[in-house]
PDB file of all heavy atoms in Angstrom:
ATOM      1  N   GLU A   1      92.750 -27.630 -45.193  1.00  0.00           N
ATOM      2  CA  GLU A   1      94.163 -27.485 -45.516  1.00  0.00           C
ATOM      3  C   GLU A   1      95.041 -27.576 -44.279  1.00  0.00           C
ATOM      4  O   GLU A   1      96.123 -28.179 -44.284  1.00  0.00           O
ATOM      5  CB  GLU A   1      94.421 -26.128 -46.228  1.00  0.00           C
ATOM      6  CG  GLU A   1      93.899 -26.116 -47.658  1.00  0.00           C
ATOM      7  CD  GLU A   1      94.080 -24.737 -48.316  1.00  0.00           C
ATOM      8  OE1 GLU A   1      94.549 -23.819 -47.637  1.00  0.00           O
ATOM      9  OE2 GLU A   1      93.759 -24.650 -49.512  1.00  0.00           O
ATOM     10  N   GLU A   2      94.564 -26.971 -43.194  1.00  0.00           N
ATOM     11  CA  GLU A   2      95.315 -27.023 -41.920  1.00  0.00           C
ATOM     12  C   GLU A   2      95.429 -28.490 -41.451  1.00  0.00           C
ATOM     13  O   GLU A   2      96.489 -28.932 -40.978  1.00  0.00           O
ATOM     14  CB  GLU A   2      94.630 -26.194 -40.848  1.00  0.00           C
ATOM     15  CG  GLU A   2      94.727 -24.690 -41.019  1.00  0.00           C
ATOM     16  CD  GLU A   2      96.122 -24.194 -40.736  1.00  0.00           C
ATOM     17  OE1 GLU A   2      96.876 -24.884 -40.037  1.00  0.00           O
ATOM     18  OE2 GLU A   2      96.469 -23.102 -41.185  1.00  0.00           O
ATOM     19  N   LYS A   3      94.290 -29.234 -41.535  1.00  0.00           N
ATOM     20  CA  LYS A   3      94.287 -30.638 -41.109  1.00  0.00           C
ATOM     21  C   LYS A   3      95.229 -31.493 -41.933  1.00  0.00           C
ATOM     22  O   LYS A   3      95.964 -32.312 -41.408  1.00  0.00           O
ATOM     23  CB  LYS A   3      92.869 -31.183 -41.140  1.00  0.00           C
ATOM     24  CG  LYS A   3      91.983 -30.673 -40.027  1.00  0.00           C
ATOM     25  CD  LYS A   3      90.579 -31.269 -40.106  1.00  0.00           C
ATOM     26  CE  LYS A   3      89.697 -30.734 -38.973  1.00  0.00           C
ATOM     27  NZ  LYS A   3      88.332 -31.265 -39.063  1.00  0.00           N
ATOM     28  N   LYS A   4      95.184 -31.230 -43.262  1.00  0.00           N
ATOM     29  CA  LYS A   4      96.056 -32.015 -44.153  1.00  0.00           C
ATOM     30  C   LYS A   4      97.523 -31.743 -43.850  1.00  0.00           C
ATOM     31  O   LYS A   4      98.371 -32.636 -43.843  1.00  0.00           O
ATOM     32  CB  LYS A   4      95.763 -31.648 -45.621  1.00  0.00           C
ATOM     33  CG  LYS A   4      94.474 -32.282 -46.138  1.00  0.00           C
ATOM     34  CD  LYS A   4      94.214 -31.852 -47.586  1.00  0.00           C
ATOM     35  CE  LYS A   4      92.897 -32.419 -48.087  1.00  0.00           C
ATOM     36  NZ  LYS A   4      92.612 -31.994 -49.449  1.00  0.00           N
ATOM     37  N   LYS A   5      97.829 -30.464 -43.590  1.00  0.00           N
ATOM     38  CA  LYS A   5      99.192 -30.078 -43.252  1.00  0.00           C
ATOM     39  C   LYS A   5      99.649 -30.779 -41.972  1.00  0.00           C
ATOM     40  O   LYS A   5     100.763 -31.295 -41.859  1.00  0.00           O
ATOM     41  CB  LYS A   5      99.284 -28.567 -43.127  1.00  0.00           C
ATOM     42  CG  LYS A   5     100.697 -28.039 -43.016  1.00  0.00           C
ATOM     43  CD  LYS A   5     100.720 -26.523 -43.002  1.00  0.00           C
ATOM     44  CE  LYS A   5     102.151 -26.010 -42.918  1.00  0.00           C
ATOM     45  NZ  LYS A   5     102.180 -24.512 -42.862  1.00  0.00           N
ATOM     46  N   LYS A   6      98.741 -30.803 -41.002  1.00  0.00           N
ATOM     47  CA  LYS A   6      99.061 -31.442 -39.724  1.00  0.00           C
ATOM     48  C   LYS A   6      99.306 -32.931 -39.886  1.00  0.00           C
ATOM     49  O   LYS A   6     100.287 -33.499 -39.357  1.00  0.00           O
ATOM     50  CB  LYS A   6      97.901 -31.190 -38.737  1.00  0.00           C
ATOM     51  CG  LYS A   6      98.100 -31.866 -37.383  1.00  0.00           C
ATOM     52  CD  LYS A   6      96.852 -31.649 -36.520  1.00  0.00           C
ATOM     53  CE  LYS A   6      96.997 -32.457 -35.215  1.00  0.00           C
ATOM     54  NZ  LYS A   6      95.769 -32.361 -34.403  1.00  0.00           N
ATOM     55  N   GLU A   7      98.425 -33.606 -40.677  1.00  0.00           N
ATOM     56  CA  GLU A   7      98.554 -35.029 -40.918  1.00  0.00           C
ATOM     57  C   GLU A   7      99.872 -35.347 -41.623  1.00  0.00           C
ATOM     58  O   GLU A   7     100.544 -36.324 -41.313  1.00  0.00           O
ATOM     59  CB  GLU A   7      97.362 -35.560 -41.717  1.00  0.00           C
ATOM     60  CG  GLU A   7      96.086 -35.620 -40.936  1.00  0.00           C
ATOM     61  CD  GLU A   7      94.897 -35.916 -41.833  1.00  0.00           C
ATOM     62  OE1 GLU A   7      95.107 -36.108 -43.050  1.00  0.00           O
ATOM     63  OE2 GLU A   7      93.760 -35.967 -41.330  1.00  0.00           O
ATOM     64  N   LYS A   8     100.239 -34.484 -42.583  1.00  0.00           N
ATOM     65  CA  LYS A   8     101.476 -34.688 -43.341  1.00  0.00           C
ATOM     66  C   LYS A   8     102.690 -34.630 -42.431  1.00  0.00           C
ATOM     67  O   LYS A   8     103.591 -35.466 -42.513  1.00  0.00           O
ATOM     68  CB  LYS A   8     101.586 -33.621 -44.441  1.00  0.00           C
ATOM     69  CG  LYS A   8     102.732 -33.854 -45.391  1.00  0.00           C
ATOM     70  CD  LYS A   8     102.727 -32.795 -46.488  1.00  0.00           C
ATOM     71  CE  LYS A   8     103.902 -33.012 -47.434  1.00  0.00           C
ATOM     72  NZ  LYS A   8     103.901 -31.978 -48.526  1.00  0.00           N
ATOM     73  N   VAL A   9     102.723 -33.640 -41.522  1.00  0.00           N
ATOM     74  CA  VAL A   9     103.862 -33.513 -40.592  1.00  0.00           C
ATOM     75  C   VAL A   9     103.906 -34.691 -39.640  1.00  0.00           C
ATOM     76  O   VAL A   9     104.970 -35.223 -39.338  1.00  0.00           O
ATOM     77  CB  VAL A   9     103.702 -32.174 -39.819  1.00  0.00           C
ATOM     78  CG1 VAL A   9     104.790 -32.097 -38.709  1.00  0.00           C
ATOM     79  CG2 VAL A   9     103.904 -31.009 -40.777  1.00  0.00           C
ATOM     80  N   GLU A  10     102.715 -35.128 -39.160  1.00  0.00           N
ATOM     81  CA  GLU A  10     102.678 -36.267 -38.241  1.00  0.00           C
ATOM     82  C   GLU A  10     103.206 -37.543 -38.905  1.00  0.00           C
ATOM     83  O   GLU A  10     103.961 -38.331 -38.319  1.00  0.00           O
ATOM     84  CB  GLU A  10     101.247 -36.490 -37.732  1.00  0.00           C
ATOM     85  CG  GLU A  10     100.827 -35.461 -36.690  1.00  0.00           C
ATOM     86  CD  GLU A  10      99.414 -35.651 -36.206  1.00  0.00           C
ATOM     87  OE1 GLU A  10      98.668 -36.414 -36.919  1.00  0.00           O
ATOM     88  OE2 GLU A  10      99.027 -35.051 -35.209  1.00  0.00           O
ATOM     89  N   LYS A  11     102.803 -37.748 -40.183  1.00  0.00           N
ATOM     90  CA  LYS A  11     103.268 -38.933 -40.916  1.00  0.00           C
ATOM     91  C   LYS A  11     104.785 -38.884 -41.110  1.00  0.00           C
ATOM     92  O   LYS A  11     105.475 -39.892 -41.006  1.00  0.00           O
ATOM     93  CB  LYS A  11     102.561 -39.022 -42.279  1.00  0.00           C
ATOM     94  CG  LYS A  11     101.151 -39.527 -42.177  1.00  0.00           C
ATOM     95  CD  LYS A  11     100.491 -39.564 -43.552  1.00  0.00           C
ATOM     96  CE  LYS A  11      99.049 -40.033 -43.440  1.00  0.00           C
ATOM     97  NZ  LYS A  11      98.406 -40.054 -44.777  1.00  0.00           N
ATOM     98  N   LYS A  12     105.285 -37.664 -41.379  1.00  0.00           N
ATOM     99  CA  LYS A  12     106.726 -37.511 -41.563  1.00  0.00           C
ATOM    100  C   LYS A  12     107.476 -37.850 -40.259  1.00  0.00           C
ATOM    101  O   LYS A  12     108.531 -38.482 -40.290  1.00  0.00           O
ATOM    102  CB  LYS A  12     107.035 -36.066 -41.978  1.00  0.00           C
ATOM    103  CG  LYS A  12     108.481 -35.844 -42.449  1.00  0.00           C
ATOM    104  CD  LYS A  12     108.688 -34.440 -42.940  1.00  0.00           C
ATOM    105  CE  LYS A  12     110.120 -34.223 -43.364  1.00  0.00           C
ATOM    106  NZ  LYS A  12     110.392 -32.850 -43.788  1.00  0.00           N
ATOM    107  N   GLY A  13     106.894 -37.442 -39.144  1.00  0.00           N
ATOM    108  CA  GLY A  13     107.503 -37.749 -37.833  1.00  0.00           C
ATOM    109  C   GLY A  13     107.502 -39.243 -37.568  1.00  0.00           C
ATOM    110  O   GLY A  13     108.475 -39.780 -37.059  1.00  0.00           O
ATOM    111  N   GLU A  14     106.411 -39.923 -37.927  1.00  0.00           N
ATOM    112  CA  GLU A  14     106.336 -41.389 -37.747  1.00  0.00           C
ATOM    113  C   GLU A  14     107.407 -42.096 -38.566  1.00  0.00           C
ATOM    114  O   GLU A  14     108.023 -43.045 -38.107  1.00  0.00           O
ATOM    115  CB  GLU A  14     104.936 -41.877 -38.119  1.00  0.00           C
ATOM    116  CG  GLU A  14     103.881 -41.508 -37.076  1.00  0.00           C
ATOM    117  CD  GLU A  14     102.484 -41.874 -37.562  1.00  0.00           C
ATOM    118  OE1 GLU A  14     102.388 -42.473 -38.648  1.00  0.00           O
ATOM    119  OE2 GLU A  14     101.528 -41.540 -36.870  1.00  0.00           O
ATOM    120  N   LYS A  15     107.592 -41.615 -39.798  1.00  0.00           N
ATOM    121  CA  LYS A  15     108.603 -42.233 -40.675  1.00  0.00           C
ATOM    122  C   LYS A  15     109.998 -42.081 -40.059  1.00  0.00           C
ATOM    123  O   LYS A  15     110.828 -43.012 -40.109  1.00  0.00           O
ATOM    124  CB  LYS A  15     108.570 -41.615 -42.064  1.00  0.00           C
ATOM    125  CG  LYS A  15     107.375 -42.073 -42.901  1.00  0.00           C
ATOM    126  CD  LYS A  15     107.441 -41.418 -44.252  1.00  0.00           C
ATOM    127  CE  LYS A  15     106.209 -41.839 -45.107  1.00  0.00           C
ATOM    128  NZ  LYS A  15     106.206 -41.183 -46.417  1.00  0.00           N
ATOM    129  N   LYS A  16     110.275 -40.915 -39.500  1.00  0.00           N
ATOM    130  CA  LYS A  16     111.610 -40.691 -38.873  1.00  0.00           C
ATOM    131  C   LYS A  16     111.809 -41.631 -37.696  1.00  0.00           C
ATOM    132  O   LYS A  16     112.879 -42.180 -37.489  1.00  0.00           O
ATOM    133  CB  LYS A  16     111.707 -39.234 -38.385  1.00  0.00           C
ATOM    134  CG  LYS A  16     111.951 -38.222 -39.500  1.00  0.00           C
ATOM    135  CD  LYS A  16     113.389 -38.308 -39.973  1.00  0.00           C
ATOM    136  CE  LYS A  16     113.675 -37.270 -41.063  1.00  0.00           C
ATOM    137  NZ  LYS A  16     115.044 -37.395 -41.592  1.00  0.00           N
ATOM    138  N   GLU A  17     110.729 -41.819 -36.887  1.00  0.00           N
ATOM    139  CA  GLU A  17     110.844 -42.716 -35.729  1.00  0.00           C
ATOM    140  C   GLU A  17     111.068 -44.152 -36.201  1.00  0.00           C
ATOM    141  O   GLU A  17     111.850 -44.884 -35.613  1.00  0.00           O
ATOM    142  CB  GLU A  17     109.570 -42.611 -34.897  1.00  0.00           C
ATOM    143  CG  GLU A  17     109.495 -41.301 -34.098  1.00  0.00           C
ATOM    144  CD  GLU A  17     108.194 -41.163 -33.356  1.00  0.00           C
ATOM    145  OE1 GLU A  17     107.356 -42.071 -33.462  1.00  0.00           O
ATOM    146  OE2 GLU A  17     108.011 -40.140 -32.649  1.00  0.00           O
ATOM    147  N   LYS A  18     110.347 -44.557 -37.257  1.00  0.00           N
ATOM    148  CA  LYS A  18     110.511 -45.931 -37.768  1.00  0.00           C
ATOM    149  C   LYS A  18     111.915 -46.139 -38.304  1.00  0.00           C
ATOM    150  O   LYS A  18     112.517 -47.189 -38.125  1.00  0.00           O
ATOM    151  CB  LYS A  18     109.492 -46.199 -38.880  1.00  0.00           C
ATOM    152  CG  LYS A  18     108.075 -46.430 -38.341  1.00  0.00           C
ATOM    153  CD  LYS A  18     107.128 -46.659 -39.470  1.00  0.00           C
ATOM    154  CE  LYS A  18     105.720 -46.853 -38.965  1.00  0.00           C
ATOM    155  NZ  LYS A  18     104.749 -47.027 -40.054  1.00  0.00           N
ATOM    156  N   LYS A  19     112.460 -45.112 -38.943  1.00  0.00           N
ATOM    157  CA  LYS A  19     113.834 -45.171 -39.478  1.00  0.00           C
ATOM    158  C   LYS A  19     114.834 -45.298 -38.358  1.00  0.00           C
ATOM    159  O   LYS A  19     115.844 -45.989 -38.458  1.00  0.00           O
ATOM    160  CB  LYS A  19     114.103 -43.933 -40.338  1.00  0.00           C
ATOM    161  CG  LYS A  19     115.445 -44.000 -41.074  1.00  0.00           C
ATOM    162  CD  LYS A  19     115.651 -42.759 -41.921  1.00  0.00           C
ATOM    163  CE  LYS A  19     117.015 -42.807 -42.593  1.00  0.00           C
ATOM    164  NZ  LYS A  19     117.253 -41.574 -43.380  1.00  0.00           N
ATOM    165  N   GLN A  20     114.539 -44.589 -37.238  1.00  0.00           N
ATOM    166  CA  GLN A  20     115.468 -44.591 -36.096  1.00  0.00           C
ATOM    167  C   GLN A  20     115.466 -45.906 -35.383  1.00  0.00           C
ATOM    168  O   GLN A  20     116.471 -46.380 -34.876  1.00  0.00           O
ATOM    169  CB  GLN A  20     115.064 -43.475 -35.152  1.00  0.00           C
ATOM    170  CG  GLN A  20     116.101 -43.195 -34.064  1.00  0.00           C
ATOM    171  CD  GLN A  20     115.717 -41.981 -33.258  1.00  0.00           C
ATOM    172  OE1 GLN A  20     114.916 -41.187 -33.695  1.00  0.00           O
ATOM    173  NE2 GLN A  20     116.327 -41.833 -32.108  1.00  0.00           N
ATOM    174  N   GLN A  21     114.315 -46.580 -35.302  1.00  0.00           N
ATOM    175  CA  GLN A  21     114.190 -47.828 -34.561  1.00  0.00           C
ATOM    176  C   GLN A  21     115.101 -48.943 -35.104  1.00  0.00           C
ATOM    177  O   GLN A  21     115.829 -49.535 -34.325  1.00  0.00           O
ATOM    178  CB  GLN A  21     112.733 -48.320 -34.554  1.00  0.00           C
ATOM    179  CG  GLN A  21     111.889 -47.500 -33.595  1.00  0.00           C
ATOM    180  CD  GLN A  21     110.417 -47.854 -33.708  1.00  0.00           C
ATOM    181  OE1 GLN A  21     110.034 -48.694 -34.520  1.00  0.00           O
ATOM    182  NE2 GLN A  21     109.568 -47.162 -32.957  1.00  0.00           N
ATOM    183  N   PRO A  22     115.162 -49.207 -36.405  1.00  0.00           N
ATOM    184  CA  PRO A  22     116.090 -50.214 -36.908  1.00  0.00           C
ATOM    185  C   PRO A  22     117.545 -49.853 -36.593  1.00  0.00           C
ATOM    186  O   PRO A  22     118.347 -50.712 -36.328  1.00  0.00           O
ATOM    187  CB  PRO A  22     115.839 -50.251 -38.417  1.00  0.00           C
ATOM    188  CG  PRO A  22     114.490 -49.662 -38.601  1.00  0.00           C
ATOM    189  CD  PRO A  22     114.310 -48.680 -37.487  1.00  0.00           C
ATOM    190  N   ALA A  23     117.867 -48.555 -36.674  1.00  0.00           N
ATOM    191  CA  ALA A  23     119.250 -48.161 -36.415  1.00  0.00           C
ATOM    192  C   ALA A  23     119.631 -48.493 -34.986  1.00  0.00           C
ATOM    193  O   ALA A  23     120.745 -48.937 -34.710  1.00  0.00           O
ATOM    194  CB  ALA A  23     119.430 -46.651 -36.654  1.00  0.00           C
ATOM    195  N   ALA A  24     118.697 -48.263 -34.043  1.00  0.00           N
ATOM    196  CA  ALA A  24     118.990 -48.548 -32.652  1.00  0.00           C
ATOM    197  C   ALA A  24     118.989 -50.043 -32.395  1.00  0.00           C
ATOM    198  O   ALA A  24     119.744 -50.553 -31.550  1.00  0.00           O
ATOM    199  CB  ALA A  24     117.969 -47.874 -31.748  1.00  0.00           C
ATOM    200  N   GLY A  25     118.129 -50.809 -33.126  1.00  0.00           N
ATOM    201  CA  GLY A  25     118.024 -52.235 -32.876  1.00  0.00           C
ATOM    202  C   GLY A  25     118.856 -53.102 -33.773  1.00  0.00           C
ATOM    203  O   GLY A  25     118.734 -54.330 -33.765  1.00  0.00           O
ATOM    204  N   SER A  26     119.722 -52.487 -34.587  1.00  0.00           N
ATOM    205  CA  SER A  26     120.507 -53.254 -35.530  1.00  0.00           C
ATOM    206  C   SER A  26     121.618 -54.094 -34.899  1.00  0.00           C
ATOM    207  O   SER A  26     122.027 -55.088 -35.410  1.00  0.00           O
ATOM    208  CB  SER A  26     121.133 -52.289 -36.597  1.00  0.00           C
ATOM    209  OG  SER A  26     121.978 -51.369 -35.948  1.00  0.00           O
ATOM    210  N   SER A  27     122.120 -53.641 -33.723  1.00  0.00           N
ATOM    211  CA  SER A  27     123.150 -54.417 -33.023  1.00  0.00           C
ATOM    212  C   SER A  27     122.564 -55.681 -32.477  1.00  0.00           C
ATOM    213  O   SER A  27     121.401 -55.722 -32.073  1.00  0.00           O
ATOM    214  CB  SER A  27     123.790 -53.572 -31.913  1.00  0.00           C
ATOM    215  OG  SER A  27     122.776 -53.206 -31.000  1.00  0.00           O
ATOM    216  N   ASP A  28     123.334 -56.729 -32.449  1.00  0.00           N
ATOM    217  CA  ASP A  28     122.893 -58.005 -31.956  1.00  0.00           C
ATOM    218  C   ASP A  28     122.487 -57.900 -30.486  1.00  0.00           C
ATOM    219  O   ASP A  28     123.166 -57.305 -29.684  1.00  0.00           O
ATOM    220  CB  ASP A  28     124.062 -59.024 -32.062  1.00  0.00           C
ATOM    221  CG  ASP A  28     123.555 -60.434 -32.038  1.00  0.00           C
ATOM    222  OD1 ASP A  28     122.473 -60.647 -31.436  1.00  0.00           O
ATOM    223  OD2 ASP A  28     124.188 -61.319 -32.641  1.00  0.00           O
ATOM    224  N   ALA A  29     121.291 -58.421 -30.172  1.00  0.00           N
ATOM    225  CA  ALA A  29     120.763 -58.319 -28.814  1.00  0.00           C
ATOM    226  C   ALA A  29     121.645 -59.060 -27.812  1.00  0.00           C
ATOM    227  O   ALA A  29     121.764 -58.680 -26.662  1.00  0.00           O
ATOM    228  CB  ALA A  29     119.345 -58.856 -28.748  1.00  0.00           C
ATOM    229  N   LYS A  30     122.273 -60.142 -28.240  1.00  0.00           N
ATOM    230  CA  LYS A  30     123.103 -60.936 -27.373  1.00  0.00           C
ATOM    231  C   LYS A  30     124.458 -60.217 -27.135  1.00  0.00           C
ATOM    232  O   LYS A  30     125.076 -59.771 -28.082  1.00  0.00           O
ATOM    233  CB  LYS A  30     123.361 -62.321 -27.999  1.00  0.00           C
ATOM    234  CG  LYS A  30     123.950 -63.325 -27.021  1.00  0.00           C
ATOM    235  CD  LYS A  30     124.006 -64.693 -27.681  1.00  0.00           C
ATOM    236  CE  LYS A  30     124.646 -65.718 -26.756  1.00  0.00           C
ATOM    237  NZ  LYS A  30     124.764 -67.022 -27.402  1.00  0.00           N
TER     238      LYS A  30
END
C-alpha cells in the first residue's frame, strides 16, 4: 500500500510537469 501510494504521487507529479512544459514552450521559439 505504501509503494502504491508513492507511485501514485510520483505519477501525479510527472503529469504536472508535463502540463507545465507545453505552457512554457507554447510561445514561438523565434
Side-chain angles (χ1 to χ4, degrees):
E1 286 178 357
E2 288 287 341
K3 285 180 181 178
K4 285 178 182 178
K5 190 175 180 181
K6 179 184 173 184
E7 288 171 1
K8 188 177 179 181
V9 173
E10 285 178 346
K11 285 179 181 178
K12 191 176 179 182
E14 286 173 4
K15 285 180 181 178
K16 284 285 182 184
E17 287 176 358
K18 285 178 182 177
K19 187 179 178 182
Q20 190 173 344
Q21 284 172 1
S26 60
S27 60
D28 200 332
K30 194 174 179 183

